[in-house]
Amino acid sequence: MARVAVLCGAFCCCVLAACGPSGGDDVSGVNANLNCSAMISAANSLVVSGKVDNDPELAKRALVTSMTYLNAYSIPKGLKEADAFTEVKAHRASLLETLSPDEVMSQAKRCMERSPQ
């Protein structure tokens, strides 16, 4: 039950923090906010699968930071939640296919450093 409360609180914070932490500029044809959300999600996926060691900072901030970036991408575009998640999952899959685990972790950490805490 406490986990549900934390997730609900995190979601509400993300909705309220819908400003673009990275300005939303395109990075290689992909919106920077979408890219950071997918990058953090990809890093979390690598940790969960055991392909990289657990990163305490990632574990602590991944959900809120990823959702902040995703909201900054999707809200101005008027995307529905399901459509936003479909886009982030597709981009995450692309990142996992094209980047090494070290590159994913490095870029995810940069995204987390740029995001408000």
Side-chain angles (χ1 to χ4, degrees):
M1 185 65 173
R3 188 174 193 186
V4 173
V6 169
L7 290 174
C8 288
F11 180 74
C12 291
C13 289
C14 291
V15 169
L16 294 173
C19 58
S22 66
D25 298 332
D26 286 350
V27 175
S28 301
V30 176
N31 180 283
N33 290 319
L34 175 63
N35 190 63
C36 275
S37 181
M39 194 66 70
I40 294 166
S41 180
N44 191 54
S45 177
L46 290 171
V47 170
V48 169
S49 69
K51 293 181 180 174
V52 298
D53 291 335
N54 186 29
D55 181 300
E57 185 67 14
L58 177 70
K60 179 178 160 186
R61 295 186 53 211
L63 175 63
V64 172
T65 305
S66 180
M67 287 303 300
T68 300
Y69 279 114
L70 185 57
N71 283 331
Y73 168 73
S74 63
I75 290 173
K77 291 181 170 277
L79 292 177
K80 294 183 179 188
E81 181 180 358
D83 295 333
F85 279 115
T86 298
E87 287 191 36
V88 82
K89 287 177 184 177
H91 190 55
R92 176 185 66 198
S94 172
L95 293 171
L96 289 170
E97 289 176 5
T98 58
L99 299 176
S100 73
D102 288 340
E103 290 173 311
V104 170
M105 293 303 287
S106 172
Q107 291 182 35
K109 287 178 184 179
R110 268 187 271 148
C111 286
M112 289 180 58
E113 289 170 2
R114 290 193 317 246
S115 175
Q117 291 191 18

